[in-house]
Each structure stands twice: as structure tokens, then as C-alpha cells.
Amino acid sequence: MNKSRLVGIFEVTGSVLAMIYALLIASNTGNEVLGFSLLLLSALLFAGWGYLDKRWAFLALQFFYATSAVIGLIRWG
């Protein structure tokens, strides 16, 4: 699989998962663990995108989001 196809997959999938995460957390329906799991997966996909595209600031930002997801999982798990 070529780089641009992987970037597209990471970008779209990561974005969709981040939107679902936001809706789950905002809905306050008891789905926090699922939401933070999706945030972690989204951050990993976005980190892959940042690495492949050499977007180092974007890659660094994903460490913050991944850390936030882990904190959320520990807090709500």
C-alpha cells in the first residue's frame, strides 16, 4: 500500500473516530470508556499520519491526545 493511500485511511478513520468520541463524551450517557478508547485509537492513527507526512508538530500533538485518552480510561475505567 502506498504512502498517500495510508495517509488517507489514517486521516479519514482518525477523524471519524474523533467525532464519535466527542459525541459520546458530550452525550453523558455512560459511554466514557468507549469514547476514550476511540480517542486513543484516533490519536494513534493521527500519529501515523503525522509520521508519514513528516508533520512533526501534529505528531507531537497526538502524544497529548493519547495521554488524555489514557487518563480518561483510568479515570472512567
Side-chain angles (χ1 to χ4, degrees), residues 54-76:
K54 296 180 173 58
R55 297 176 185 265
W56 307 122
F58 187 68
L59 175 62
L61 178 62
Q62 300 319 306
F63 287 106
F64 169 77
Y65 288 132
T67 301
S68 296
V70 170
I71 291 169
L73 286 168
I74 291 168
R75 166 71 175 87
W76 292 99

Side-chain angles (χ1 to χ4, degrees), residues 3-28:
K3 177 182 151 182
S4 69
R5 180 146 171 82
L6 272 177
V7 165
I9 290 169
F10 291 171
E11 177 183 10
V12 171
T13 307
S15 295
V16 169
L17 292 177
M19 287 183 267
I20 296 169
Y21 146 77
L23 290 171
L24 286 171
I25 298 302
S27 69
N28 196 25

